[in-house]
Amino acid sequence: MRTVLILGAKGMLGQALVRCYGEDEGYRVIGWDIEDIDVTDFPEAERKIREVSPAVILNAIAYNAVDQCEENDDEYQKALLLNAEVPEFLARLAQTLEAAFVHYSTDYVFDGESESGYAEDALPRPLSRYGQSKREGEERVIAVGGIFYIIRLSKLFGRAASSAIAKKSFFEKMLEVARLAENDQSRQAQDKTEVSVVDGEKSCFTYAPDLALATKVLEQHVAPYGIYHLVNADAATWYEAAQELFRLADVSVVVKPVAPEALPRPARRPRCSELLNTKFIPLRPYTEALEEFLKQQPEA
């Protein structure tokens, strides 16, 4: 039986990884979150990790406050710590333990100027401090070497995270809009809720359970080490995805497309950052995953 250590176990992806590996009798699953380990205290973290001697370390910890990172130097330092220094530390420790190391990255390492998308070997050019911190993490893990997989994803969604500090997914936020509309008894029958959504920033959505399963298959079969793009098929803009969500959920919300410039944010986003999966089994279309996601939502 192999021991797999999942860091960030109460986040959206971490929870999916715990469930996925927990269903496999070939693994002993250890899931740690912020209350279990301080990964920024390297000596103490190393001691704890060595005690459990994992065969696989999955790093689902990340700093992802994109705009705060852009505006605030202290936040940027936090991003560099969690997105670059911690992955390097974990990669080095995994190497000494002869363990496989899996680290998750993002489409924000690209500038979004390519109309045809980005393969795994495309040249990164991040536009934001957040993107820079993620790219630095990639570079540090690659420099360490060993048995490593860097998995890039984008627009993650899935079952709501149990961690109090986790961000909500785009689809969670859109469903909240729909529930508010349905519960607003003061509206006239003919009125419909309208929401403005960016019709730009095209990329691929990633369903956490699909990514978790792909991760397990990848490391189980000892695929060639390196960078992988594991996202659900069919790229879409936020606007297109919101339309699809409300159609599948059968709710009356009018989605108004707006240009990215209409909703100014401190950090620049890639205009088109579709991740091309050229090295692994294709994941199903995000629309199929979205149907499954909706079936698992609690009743309003």
Side-chain angles (χ1 to χ4, degrees):
M1 180 178 289
R2 303 174 75 206
T3 296
V4 56
L5 173 61
I6 300 167
L7 300 171
K10 290 186 177 180
M12 187 179 298
L13 175 55
Q15 289 179 162
L17 288 166
V18 169
R19 285 191 294 270
C20 181
Y21 276 88
E23 293 169 354
D24 191 323
E25 295 181 353
Y27 288 91
R28 169 188 173 223
V29 179
I30 298 174
W32 287 344
D33 210 274
I34 191 169
E35 65 270 22
D36 305 300
I37 186 171
D38 178 1
V39 290
T40 66
D41 182 346
F42 295 160
E44 179 62 13
E46 179 172 349
R47 183 192 67 77
K48 290 198 68 170
I49 293 172
R50 283 187 179 278
E51 280 184 355
V52 299
S53 189
V56 185
I57 299 175
L58 306 179
N59 180 32
I61 294 170
Y63 177 101
N64 58 9
V66 179
D67 291 320
Q68 291 179 8
C69 176
E70 198 69 24
E71 290 186 304
N72 187 293
D73 289 342
D74 289 339
E75 290 296 312
Y76 181 44
Q77 292 306 312
K78 289 180 186 178
L80 288 172
L81 175 60
L82 289 175
N83 293 346
E85 294 178 41
V86 167
E88 179 184 18
F89 156 70
L90 292 172
R92 291 190 184 282
L93 181 55
Q95 192 175 47
T96 65
L97 295 172
E98 298 184 346
F101 177 58
V102 178
H103 175 62
Y104 296 93
S105 192
T106 172
D107 61 322
Y108 278 33
V109 299
F110 297 113
D111 62 12
E113 294 304 313
S114 172
E115 296 292 344
S116 56
Y118 295 89
E120 294 84 354
D121 60 355
L123 181 65
R125 281 199 185 93
L127 298 175
S128 65
R129 281 176 154 186
Y130 164 74
Q132 290 166 7
S133 73
K134 294 297 287 185
R135 176 55 185 166
E136 185 167 335
E138 292 182 358
E139 291 174 335
R140 292 192 185 199
V141 171
I142 292 168
V144 170
I147 309 169
F148 74 90
Y149 300 100
I150 294 171
I151 298 175
R152 291 183 182 136
L153 60 126
S154 53
K155 295 179 175 176
L156 185 71
F157 72 102
R159 187 179 300 179
S162 59
S163 170
I165 62 174
K167 288 172 64 175
K168 292 182 179 180
S169 73
F170 171 73
F171 291 128
E172 284 179 83
K173 293 176 182 177
M174 290 296 101
L175 286 176
E176 286 180 355
V177 170
R179 292 187 184 112
L180 285 171
E182 289 178 346
N183 294 332
D184 189 353
Q185 302 299 319
S186 65
R187 288 185 176 275
Q188 297 297 318
Q190 66 270 22
D191 289 343
K192 289 186 177 181
T193 297
E194 183 178 283
V195 59
S196 295
V197 181
V198 172
D199 190 20
E201 302 171 10
K202 184 177 184 180
S203 62
C204 298
F205 284 83
T206 311
Y207 187 44
D210 290 357
L211 176 55
L213 179 58
T215 298
K216 185 161 76 78
V217 172
L218 187 75
E219 66 84 9
Q220 266 186 344
H221 290 80
V222 195
Y225 312 142
I227 297 173
Y228 287 80
H229 289 176
L230 300 185
V231 292
N232 289 92
D234 299 340
T237 67
W238 300 109
Y239 166 70
E240 291 166 342
Q243 284 188 307
E244 186 67 17
L245 171 72
F246 293 136
R247 184 188 69 81
L248 290 171
D250 192 26
V251 294
S252 297
V253 175
V254 176
V255 186
K256 179 184 176 183
V258 296
E261 297 76 22
L263 299 174
R265 293 153 293 176
R268 290 178 63 197
R269 268 72 167 176
R271 181 175 56 84
C272 180
S273 55
E274 178 182 358
L275 296 176
L276 305 178
N277 175 3
T278 70
K279 297 169 60 176
F280 192 72
I281 304 164
L283 276 61
R284 60 180 164 170
Y286 88 92
T287 50
E288 292 182 16
L290 189 54
E291 287 189 74
E292 181 179 303
F293 166 76
L294 284 169
K295 290 175 183 176
Q296 295 177 350
Q297 294 307 297
E299 294 294 329

